[in-house]
Amino acid sequence: MEDESHNNILPNGFNTGSTESPCLKTSTMTTQHNNNNNHQNHSNKEQDRFLPIANVGRIMKKVIPPNGKISKDAKETVQECVSEFISFVTGEASDKCQREKRKTINGDDVIWAITTLGFEDYVEPLKTYLQKYKEIEGEKLNIPKQLRSEQRLHQHQQNHNNNHDENNNQPFNGAYASSNLISQPPYVPTDQKFSLPFSPNSIQNQLRQQEQIDSVGHWYE
Amino acid sequence: MRQAGAYSGLLCGGVSGRTGPHSLPLARIKKIMKNSGEDVKMISGEAPIIFSKACELFIEELTRRSWIMAIQGKRRTLHKEDLASAVIATDIFDFLITLVSSSESHAVGGATNVMEVETIDCS
């Protein structure tokens, strides 16, 4: 096992050795850039140079035993190493884009650079990760449509409440709504007429009329 | 670039909504990429996403190898020296040797740095 691993590492080591000069150049450039940043606004630039130490610490804890501890200087060193890793890979990807006369560094360029620099083991997890991310993004775009459907259902329920009837078919609902609109104007006057007989004055008048009729009938006999 | 905060549990459990499904902030990664060189002009949306996972794998590997160094030293606390040892012992981490040996590091360790430099000179 170890021998195989060693054999696998040898070619990578050779490749890494051949790129040692560019690596040193990158490091030098990074150092100069860092010096410039230090000369400027220190707090903001300091934050921008590294990934958040909390995120880095959380990832580190995942791979050590629960009873293990991580000193702060170790976390800070890893922060610096990660930034160097990003710059190292980005530089390689950027060189490839320049050779191919392209201006935008895309995902494939990053994966190619990671492979070239000896991190082949990362490629498969990266592709899986990207695939899952795309699936979730696709699902996210479907959310507005679902919300629209829910709104339609809500409106449908409102129509049901207004009509006081069981709504089975949309055409039926439409027809009923139409008839409802037609019947509305005459319905109001009907209510007004219908309420008149129930007033006390109306009732008394009717009773008196009945009495008169009885008198007339009796006289006729 | 919109981050799907609602689905953070699916990819990385326990990650705060601030970075969405990714364990590292994409904006910060993009800024570091831009600062890596003046020839870096435009960066597609996919690149920081890939880096957020690549950096996670990198941190895990570097930490795991450093932990082995700490255990060999019969310690249960990971220190900067363990990281330096792991970097020196691993070929794909060669680009970090200057960094972990640099006197500009936060921690002051002159003797250790000198020893490391001597080790590098020997190899």
Side-chain angles (χ1 to χ4, degrees):
Chain A
M1 180 66 74
E2 293 180 356
D3 291 342
E4 291 179 355
S5 175
H6 183 68
N7 291 333
N8 289 336
I9 291 176
L10 271 178
N12 299 337
F14 178 76
N15 292 335
T16 306
S18 65
T19 60
E20 187 172 1
S21 299
C23 174
L24 290 174
K25 292 180 179 177
T26 303
S27 178
T28 304
M29 291 177 63
T30 304
T31 303
Q32 292 174 352
H33 192 65
N34 291 343
N35 289 338
N36 292 336
N37 284 336
N38 290 336
H39 186 68
Q40 298 171 0
N41 190 342
H42 186 74
S43 62
N44 285 340
K45 294 300 180 180
E46 184 71 18
Q47 288 180 3
D48 288 343
R49 286 170 51 205
F50 303 129
L51 296 176
I53 193 168
N55 298 63
V56 171
R58 190 181 309 122
I59 296 172
M60 292 176 74
K61 286 181 181 176
K62 289 200 307 177
V63 297
I64 66 171
N67 62 345
K69 292 183 173 59
I70 306 173
S71 68
K72 186 173 183 184
D73 69 332
K75 292 179 186 176
E76 288 173 350
T77 301
V78 171
Q79 269 186 302
E80 298 173 18
C81 290
V82 175
S83 293
E84 187 68 16
F85 173 74
I86 294 172
S87 298
F88 189 46
V89 174
T90 302
E92 196 72 16
S94 177
D95 290 346
K96 178 174 187 284
C97 286
Q98 285 187 342
R99 287 196 297 270
E100 301 178 359
K101 295 189 170 60
R102 287 187 285 107
K103 292 184 177 178
T104 304
I105 297 174
N106 58 39
D108 289 339
D109 297 324
V110 173
I111 293 181
W112 175 87
I114 283 173
T115 307
T116 302
L117 297 174
F119 298 92
E120 296 93 344
D121 296 342
Y122 295 8
V123 172
E124 212 53 42
L126 290 175
K127 292 184 175 178
T128 304
Y129 185 83
L130 190 61
Q131 185 180 359
K132 286 183 180 178
Y133 180 82
K134 288 180 175 177
E135 289 174 2
I136 289 179
E137 279 292 291
E139 289 181 3
K140 183 177 180 182
L141 292 175
N142 289 332
I143 290 177
K145 294 181 180 178
Q146 293 177 359
L147 290 177
R148 293 173 186 172
S149 299
E150 290 180 357
Q151 289 178 355
R152 289 176 182 174
L153 290 175
H154 189 59
Q155 290 176 354
H156 187 71
Q157 290 179 354
Q158 284 182 344
N159 290 337
H160 176 74
N161 292 334
N162 290 339
N163 295 333
H164 299 288
D165 283 333
E166 292 180 358
N167 297 327
N168 294 327
N169 297 326
Q170 291 182 354
F172 179 78
N173 295 336
Y176 188 86
S178 177
S179 65
N180 190 16
L181 289 174
I182 294 172
S183 65
Q184 268 186 347
Y187 185 66
V188 173
T190 304
D191 285 341
Q192 293 177 356
K193 293 179 180 178
F194 191 71
S195 65
L196 289 175
F198 288 102
S199 66
N201 295 333
S202 296
I203 295 171
Q204 292 177 358
N205 290 335
Q206 286 183 355
L207 289 175
R208 291 173 183 175
Q209 290 178 358
Q210 288 178 358
E211 290 177 354
Q212 291 176 358
I213 292 170
D214 290 340
S215 300
V216 170
H218 184 71
W219 179 77
Y220 180 77
E221 286 178 356
Chain B
M1 171 60 66
R2 301 169 63 187
Q3 297 182 2
Y7 297 92
S8 60
L10 293 179
L11 284 181
C12 306
V15 178
S16 66
R18 182 179 177 186
T19 58
H22 313 290
S23 58
L24 297 165
L26 300 184
R28 192 75 61 86
I29 291 173
K30 189 169 183 179
K31 200 166 293 186
I32 296 171
M33 290 178 74
K34 287 241 174 181
N35 290 336
S36 68
E38 290 184 359
D39 54 329
V40 178
K41 298 299 180 183
M42 289 187 290
I43 300 168
S44 80
E46 272 185 9
I49 294 168
I50 291 178
F51 260 119
S52 71
K53 183 65 177 179
C55 292
E56 188 179 339
L57 297 170
F58 175 81
I59 294 169
E60 288 174 1
E61 181 175 13
L62 182 56
T63 303
R64 198 177 295 112
R65 293 178 183 273
S66 304
W67 181 252
I68 293 173
M69 298 298 168
I71 291 296
Q72 291 179 1
K74 298 183 180 175
R75 285 177 284 99
R76 293 205 163 274
T77 301
L78 199 67
H79 283 290
K80 179 188 170 187
E81 293 75 26
D82 303 315
L83 287 158
S85 301
V87 164
I88 293 171
T90 311
D91 288 331
I92 54 176
F93 292 155
D94 279 354
F95 69 99
L96 299 169
I97 289 178
T98 304
L99 186 71
V100 296
S101 306
S102 171
S103 59
E104 294 179 356
S105 299
H106 300 329
V108 178
T112 305
N113 289 335
V114 171
M115 292 178 63
E116 289 169 358
V117 171
E118 290 176 352
T119 304
I120 295 172
D121 291 341
C122 291
S123 64

